[in-house]
Amino acid sequence: MPIHSYTAHVQELEAFGMGYPLHGEARDRAVLGSWRRCIDQHRLDPSRTSEAHIVPAGQLRAHREESEPLIRIARSGLERLYQQLKGLDYVLLLADRHGVAVDFLGHDSDASDLRSAGLYLGAQWREDVAGTSAVGTCLATGEALTVHQSDHFDFTHTRLSCTAAPIYDLQGQLAAVLDLSLLRSPAARASQQMALHLVTAAVRRVELANLMAQSSSDWVLRLAQSPDFLDVDADAALSVDARGRIRAMTHAASRMLASIAGLNWRQQPLLTGQPLGRFFDTDLQALPQLMRNRPAQERILRARDGSIWFAHALPPQPRSSAQASPRP
């Protein structure tokens, strides 16, 4: 059951909209920012409730076709995460950049309840449609977050607890959102800390897989702050072209490079195309020394800001004869 009654929920939102201080449960800054957008920008009525909006089948098909490469890469990561959570009643959604759920993992026996709650294929979770939600607010902010029960703007969704993390493409654009939700959850918001950790780790692996799939002709640098995890679960990764310039990177790598150079990570075009030596005390010729034929503890990469990283360099993959020969 929701923590708030319908009346208490609407009164809190209306008081917030009029600028009165909130009493009782503390709200995250991201939640309050979303409430403000819902009221001021999207002109949503706090007293209005509506079940989840499911897009028509033809529209869903178009969204899935647009996201097909990412769905294919992310699917194994979603299945692995779902198996980790087996028996805990979590539902996984992969929503595209438009807020539409294009992939889904959940219990078939709960299909009717999940569909009415919006935890289903084709559900539209943009803020201007559904109000404050993990998917919609993640799309609006670009940050991982939890929207727990009465954090939701629409009272219809206040029984849900949802945790989401953004998936960025290689150009630094927010391409999708991975959401982990519960139809029924413990009252305490802190109960979802594990979900936040798991969903951000899964997103990091999806971005890494996407980088590896699209960087076969480049050097790839996998980076970690600890040598113990370098070869099994890197923190970040980037690709370097034949001129020694950075071609693409995961989101964690863009944050890292921006921090090293004192730039804003949201301006990834300022990072892409830069020589590797701008950020690290190394260049293209030194990358073979960072390959796996040396112990991870010896593959040290010093950043220009003084930080120390451990690196695993993967050389460009040789083109097969099928790739090299022109198509008739």
Side-chain angles (χ1 to χ4, degrees):
M1 292 292 291
I3 294 176
H4 283 192
S5 69
Y6 168 77
T7 301
H9 188 69
V10 173
Q11 287 176 344
E12 182 181 11
L13 287 169
E14 289 178 340
F16 173 78
M18 291 185 288
Y20 293 112
L22 296 180
H23 301 287
E25 184 178 354
R27 305 287 179 185
D28 277 6
R29 183 180 301 177
V31 169
L32 296 179
S34 175
W35 283 9
R36 180 57 61 193
R37 287 189 297 275
C38 289
I39 295 170
D40 294 348
Q41 295 179 25
H42 308 316
R43 303 295 181 182
L44 299 182
D45 182 354
S47 65
R48 180 177 174 271
T49 61
S50 59
E51 285 197 355
H53 175 68
I54 307 293
V55 303
Q59 192 174 337
L60 172 60
R61 189 161 50 248
H63 281 275
R64 284 177 61 85
E65 288 173 357
E66 179 184 336
S67 301
E68 179 57 34
L70 184 59
I71 293 174
R72 188 172 60 251
I73 288 173
R75 184 69 187 188
S76 63
L78 266 65
E79 290 175 348
R80 175 181 174 185
L81 177 56
Y82 190 67
Q83 288 302 313
Q84 286 180 281
L85 298 166
K86 201 168 184 179
L88 297 180
D89 294 328
Y90 276 100
V91 178
L92 266 70
L93 292 181
L94 181 68
D96 67 6
R97 60 191 177 93
H98 308 290
V100 174
V102 293
D103 203 2
F104 152 85
L105 284 171
H107 294 295
D108 293 336
S109 58
D110 297 331
S112 178
D113 288 344
L114 295 177
R115 183 180 176 87
S116 63
L119 305 181
Y120 208 72
L121 275 177
Q124 171 56 267
W125 283 107
R126 269 198 341 259
E127 271 188 349
D128 61 321
V129 175
T132 303
S133 70
V135 170
T137 305
C138 182
L139 284 172
T141 64
E143 302 282 358
L145 52 88
T146 294
V147 174
H148 183 65
Q149 296 183 343
S150 59
D151 288 340
H152 288 87
F153 189 87
D154 191 322
F155 182 76
T156 308
H157 308 312
T158 55
R159 63 177 176 149
L160 305 178
S161 185
C162 308
T163 298
I167 300 175
Y168 286 85
D169 65 19
L170 301 186
Q171 288 71 49
Q173 300 299 311
L174 206 165
V177 170
L178 180 58
D179 174 85
L180 192 59
S181 293
L182 281 171
L183 269 175
R184 293 163 288 274
S185 68
R189 181 190 181 89
S191 65
Q192 300 310 303
Q193 281 300 314
M194 180 190 74
L196 187 61
H197 169 75
L198 290 173
V199 79
T200 52
V203 160
R204 186 177 69 248
R205 296 186 190 108
V206 169
E207 290 185 352
L208 176 59
N210 189 34
L211 179 76
M212 296 298 296
Q214 299 189 47
S215 302
S216 60
S217 62
D218 297 325
W219 280 90
V220 172
L221 266 181
R222 300 175 61 162
L223 304 162
Q225 292 180 302
S226 166
D228 300 320
F229 292 93
L230 175 60
D231 294 328
V232 292
D233 193 12
D235 296 322
L238 54 89
S239 64
V240 182
D241 65 18
R243 299 181 301 157
R245 296 183 179 274
I246 295 173
R247 187 195 295 271
M249 65 198 78
T250 63
H251 181 58
S254 69
R255 284 182 176 267
M256 178 191 67
L257 296 181
S259 176
I260 292 171
L263 299 171
N264 185 345
W265 65 264
R266 295 182 186 273
Q267 296 176 303
Q268 187 163 319
L270 298 178
L271 305 173
T272 306
Q274 296 294 321
L276 186 63
R278 178 179 180 187
F279 306 98
F280 300 102
D281 185 17
T282 193
D283 55 22
L284 186 67
Q285 285 67 41
L287 293 188
Q289 301 175 27
L290 301 174
M291 294 173 66
R292 191 176 270 179
N293 53 6
R294 296 179 63 194
Q297 293 85 348
E298 297 179 10
R299 288 179 260 149
I300 296 173
L301 200 57
R302 301 182 187 277
R304 295 298 184 187
D305 66 350
S307 59
I308 300 296
W309 293 82
F310 295 89
H312 176 196
L314 298 166
Q317 300 302 304
R319 298 180 67 190
S320 68
S321 57
Q323 291 174 313
S325 58
R327 180 175 295 181

